[in-house]
Amino acid sequence: MGKAKNYLTFTFGNCSTLTQSNNLNIQFKIVCEKGLRMMDIAEQSETQHDSSSSTGMTDQEKQMAASAYEAFLAGKYGECLKHLEGLQELNKDDYKIAMNIAIVEFYKSGQTTTGTLQQILMSMKNQVHTSADDTEGLDDVENNLLCYNQAIIHYYMRQYSEAISIGEKLYQFLEPFEEKFAQAVCFLLVDLYLLSFQPEKALHLLAMLDKLSVQGSSKNGKAENSSSNKDGTNQKAELSAWIEMAKSKMHQYKVRAYIQMKSSKACKREIKSVMNTTGNSAPSLFLKSNFEYLRGNYRKAVKLLNSTNIAEHPGPIKTGECVRCMFWNNLGCIHFAMGKHNLGIFYFKKALQENDHTCAQLGDGGTLQLKRFAGIPMCALLANKRHELLYNCGIQLLHIGRPLAAFECLMEAVQVYHSNPRLWLRLAECCISANKGSSEQESKGLPCKKGIVQCIVGQGYHRKIVLASQSTQNTVYSEGQSAAIPVASMEFAAICLRNALLLLPEHQQQETKTENGSKSSSHSGSTESGSENSDACSGKGQEADKFLSAAPSSPLRKQEVENLRCSILACSAYVALALGDNLMALNHTEKLLHQSKVSGSLKFLGHLYAAEALISLDRISDAITHLNPENVNDVSMGVLTTEQDQGSDKGDEPVECSGKQTPLCYPSSVASARAMMLFNLGSAYCLRSEYDKARKCLQQAASMVNMKEIPPEAILLGVYLELQNGNTQVALQIIKRNQLLPASVQKVSPESCRKLI
């Protein structure tokens, strides 16, 4: 039978004709300062004494506590420790002093003992019986500071679901807090929501922050009127600076949220506010570049990135962000979207070099030491972007036809992002591409004699032409090895595809939710990330049910999940055919063809794969049913168009081509697809010795397509038919001319072919 299963395409790293377009992890992140907080024991003691909830502290203890707090704010950690140790001798059972000592020692060590501090805070939390589920224990400010410090450590250690859980508990008790502390909690939650791709929640919190800032300014304005002129002037200057800084942060966060939501109109308004408040700073130019990237104005996005003054950035040790690494990564993403893939991989490699250089600066152990969180400043723990960059490199290498190099990159990335079904599909595509071998037909679009003639043996009268048999898969990677060993073999591809299918939510459960929206989020499958499981705390669980985590790229919407399911099933059928598991291949194709929203391209491949499996199972009649040309009505690549692809409100500049092209080995029209079905139908008739029907199918197919679109297998089929009829000279003529049939063959009408089925 014809080599139907070799008609593959790579659209954004795809192997099957339709795989949901893969968003590279583009890092346009705002640097946000988040630090641990120390309790001002003297101020807290006065508050408790006034409310008759405590016996208070002596004047000496208050003085020592105040001196310790002032020394901490001034960065004099040694002096602060002396005061705190003196306080601890007088109050040995006060855990607040112990917490402050632990925090001061942490800062004194250069913020390098993150793991130790996390254990100390956890033991203190158990000591005061305050857990994330114990909402009654969060009323005291010191307990809230303990929880806040824990959330900060979870944030820097990339444990976002734990940090969100604590932050949402703190958010329920914002009213009694100091205004700046309440704002810090909100900003932490906003950043966590954006890191976990929950922009709607982030915007809701930013709206609350707007109200808090307005209320705070009015309260402080009244307080200034009652104070002295000098103190009022200083407070007013401090307040105005604080409000302006908060507004600038909120504008930047809103831009990030709107970019994740692909909302161009709202993002355009906020971009103007960001540029007005921060000017041409690195965060504002990065955000504007991301905005232009979203709209498809790639050249303008590159121009904005190049205008960024990276030298002014403080560096990863102080801010936790390597701007140079993000700069090269973003250039790689933009050139990938422009279709300049070699430039894209060049920039991604530059980003990896910058990342490795940054890791080497942060500690002697480099990347390995970062995994242990030892000897690295806490604020710099987020600077390592190695796995995100390897993910981008793997997708780019797969797209430019280097599957083995892509496999190595993605295998390292999957160790971190093992719950991403799209990433497992990419690994399977690497295996498929590595085992498919080179094909001149795919590179040039021409049927070549290398695909027909294997070799010529003998000379003169004894000269023999040896025709090529059906090409076999290259299994050099799996010989003598277990299928579970991560090498680019078809056996390992089957494991990757099985993992991808298991990570997708159950199809029936999704249908139940769509029919009855009142059902709870427990029907959504167990593969959602921890950040999405925390949605019930904020009352927006129904929104999160529409998404599936696919870190490091954006989450998948419901329709994108269905598209991904179809692509995985198509790849699974292809791999099963390559491994000779025809029953499993038939099972996958039946599931694919029964999907409610399968695209025309995958439906076409499904029929071809099903027919090949049925022929191998000696069910020729069933295969002929699948090979009916009338089954093909659409062969478009059919990827669901997202807002990014639509590019609503593009602006004045035209959108450039993203470089996505239909592969040469794939039929370019419905006519060529039907011709391919007829070629395979002719093979099926040959197996039943119905040579006349097979010849008519070949004649019909040859009249529907160009000579360049005729595959070598079809020419071999024509040679076989002529040999069956005893026409040896005609068969030799077909081989020498590399043409399916002589030019004098009369074309057959489409109606006559329909009668054959």
Side-chain angles (χ1 to χ4, degrees), residues 92-351:
K92 294 183 179 180
D93 297 331
D94 194 344
Y95 87 95
K96 298 187 292 294
I97 300 175
M99 182 184 73
N100 285 348
I101 290 175
I103 291 174
V104 173
E105 287 177 345
F106 172 73
Y107 276 101
K108 189 179 180 181
S109 68
Q111 304 183 36
T112 57
T113 57
T114 309
T116 304
L117 179 62
Q118 186 182 30
Q119 293 177 359
I120 293 173
L121 294 180
M122 182 61 68
S123 64
M124 289 181 181
K125 173 183 168 183
N126 296 332
Q127 177 185 349
V128 297
H129 304 288
T130 302
S131 64
D133 298 324
D134 184 12
T135 56
E136 295 179 358
L138 293 173
D139 292 330
D140 296 333
V141 177
E142 65 267 22
N143 291 348
N144 282 287
L145 279 175
L146 176 60
C147 293
Y148 175 80
N149 288 337
Q150 281 187 309
I152 289 292
I153 293 177
H154 285 308
Y155 168 82
Y156 281 108
M157 296 181 77
R158 307 191 190 198
Q159 299 168 353
Y160 299 135
S161 59
E162 291 84 353
I164 288 175
S165 178
I166 296 174
E168 288 178 343
K169 295 294 181 183
L170 289 172
Y171 179 72
Q172 299 175 15
F173 298 91
L174 282 183
E175 291 184 2
F177 295 165
E178 178 194 0
E179 191 172 346
K180 290 186 178 179
F181 178 71
Q183 189 186 77
V185 171
C186 290
F187 275 134
L188 174 63
L189 263 180
V190 168
D191 209 358
L192 287 167
Y193 284 145
L194 291 176
L195 286 171
S196 55
F197 296 98
Q198 302 179 66
E200 293 85 1
K201 292 185 179 181
L203 288 173
H204 176 72
L205 265 183
L206 289 171
M208 296 297 295
L209 275 171
D210 280 332
K211 295 179 181 179
L212 284 176
S213 61
V214 171
Q215 293 174 1
S217 60
S218 62
K219 288 180 183 178
N220 287 310
K222 293 178 181 178
E224 287 168 11
N225 295 332
S226 61
S227 61
S228 62
N229 293 333
K230 186 176 181 180
D231 293 339
T233 304
N234 293 335
Q235 289 180 3
K236 187 176 181 181
E238 249 181 66
L239 176 65
S240 60
W242 176 62
I243 290 176
E244 287 300 321
M245 183 181 66
K247 285 183 178 179
S248 175
K249 277 187 178 181
M250 284 190 283
H251 286 308
Q252 292 176 354
Y253 278 126
K254 285 179 182 178
V255 171
R256 289 179 59 192
Y258 287 132
I259 284 174
Q260 286 190 8
M261 295 172 65
K262 309 294 190 299
S263 179
S264 298
K265 288 183 179 179
C267 188
K268 187 174 183 180
R269 291 194 300 267
E270 291 298 330
I271 280 286
K272 292 180 180 179
S273 301
V274 169
M275 301 304 293
N276 291 334
T277 54
T278 61
N280 291 330
S281 62
S284 60
L285 289 174
F286 270 49
L287 287 172
K288 191 172 183 181
S289 177
N290 197 351
F291 171 65
E292 297 299 337
Y293 169 85
L294 175 69
R295 303 171 74 197
N297 298 330
Y298 303 124
R299 296 187 184 276
K300 190 172 182 180
V302 172
K303 186 177 179 181
L304 287 167
L305 279 180
N306 289 329
S307 63
T308 307
N309 191 356
I310 302 176
E312 293 181 354
H313 196 265
I317 295 179
K318 292 184 179 180
T319 62
E321 295 289 349
C322 180
V323 176
R324 289 181 179 274
C325 176
M326 290 191 293
F327 172 79
W328 294 117
N329 173 77
N330 295 346
L331 279 179
C333 290
I334 294 170
H335 283 85
F336 177 87
M338 295 171 68
K340 300 179 179 180
H341 305 301
N342 290 309
L343 268 177
I345 194 62
F346 170 77
Y347 290 128
F348 286 142
K349 287 181 178 179
K350 293 277 285 184

Side-chain angles (χ1 to χ4, degrees), residues 406-596:
F407 182 83
E408 296 298 327
C409 293
L410 295 180
M411 271 308 303
E412 190 168 347
V414 82
Q415 298 175 20
V416 175
Y417 305 113
H418 47 79
S419 61
N420 184 351
R422 185 189 282 163
L423 180 52
W424 286 108
L425 174 61
R426 299 290 173 262
L427 279 169
E429 290 167 355
C430 292
C431 300
I432 291 171
S433 182
N435 287 274
K436 194 172 58 169
S438 60
S439 172
E440 291 192 17
Q441 184 199 5
E442 294 181 11
S443 60
K444 297 181 181 180
L446 295 173
C448 58
K449 288 188 178 181
K450 288 184 180 179
I452 301 172
V453 179
Q454 183 175 344
C455 62
I456 298 176
V457 181
Q459 294 180 353
Y461 182 78
H462 299 286
R463 183 169 177 264
K464 304 292 183 183
I465 298 175
V466 180
L467 299 180
S469 60
Q470 184 176 6
S471 61
T472 58
Q473 297 292 330
N474 183 8
T475 57
V476 66
Y477 303 106
S478 59
E479 289 182 354
Q481 293 181 348
S482 170
I485 295 178
V487 293
S489 64
M490 298 301 283
E491 291 83 359
F492 188 72
I495 295 176
C496 294
L497 292 168
R498 196 178 304 124
N499 290 344
L501 275 177
L502 289 173
L503 286 169
L504 293 178
E506 289 295 331
H507 186 66
Q508 292 180 352
Q509 292 175 348
Q510 283 193 343
E511 286 181 348
T512 303
K513 288 193 300 181
T514 54
E515 292 173 2
N516 188 0
S518 62
K519 294 211 171 185
S520 62
S521 60
S522 61
H523 292 275
S524 62
S526 58
T527 60
E528 296 181 7
S529 65
S531 60
E532 292 175 336
N533 290 335
S534 65
D535 294 336
C537 298
S538 60
K540 291 192 176 181
Q542 292 181 352
E543 284 185 9
D545 287 342
K546 300 177 183 177
F547 300 97
L548 176 68
S549 175
S553 55
S554 58
L556 299 171
R557 293 178 176 86
K558 181 183 175 183
Q559 183 56 47
E560 294 170 338
V561 171
E562 294 307 313
N563 292 341
L564 185 62
R565 189 191 308 277
C566 293
S567 300
I568 294 171
L569 288 172
C571 280
S572 299
Y574 174 86
V575 171
L577 285 172
L579 295 174
D581 194 349
N582 299 302
L583 283 174
M584 185 59 69
L586 186 60
N587 182 30
H588 288 312
T589 54
E590 288 176 351
K591 289 182 180 178
L592 174 64
L593 294 174
H594 282 88
Q595 295 295 312
S596 58

Side-chain angles (χ1 to χ4, degrees), residues 1-2 611-612 614-620 623-624 627 680-691 694 717 720-721:
M1 183 174 177
E612 186 162 351
L614 288 167
I615 286 178
S616 299
L617 294 170
D618 200 23
R619 294 166 57 182
I620 310 298
I624 288 175
L627 292 174
N680 289 321
L681 184 60
S683 300
Y685 282 132
C686 280
L687 293 175
R688 293 205 307 192
S689 301
E690 298 180 3
Y691 302 121
L717 180 60
Y720 177 79
L721 289 173

Side-chain angles (χ1 to χ4, degrees), residues 603-670:
K603 193 174 181 181
F604 164 68
L605 283 181
H607 284 298
L608 286 182
Y609 294 167
E612 186 162 351
L614 288 167
I615 286 178
S616 299
L617 294 170
D618 200 23
R619 294 166 57 182
I620 310 298
S621 299
D622 295 335
I624 288 175
T625 304
H626 281 282
L627 292 174
N628 188 341
E630 299 299 326
N631 291 334
V632 182
N633 298 314
D634 179 25
V635 291
S636 61
M637 306 310 277
V639 177
L640 178 68
T641 305
T642 62
E643 289 90 342
Q644 180 179 357
D645 298 326
Q646 291 172 358
S648 58
D649 307 316
K650 299 284 184 181
D652 298 329
E653 297 189 19
V655 178
E656 302 175 30
C657 178
S658 62
K660 298 185 224 177
Q661 297 178 355
T662 302
L664 295 173
C665 61
Y666 191 81
S668 57
S669 63
V670 174

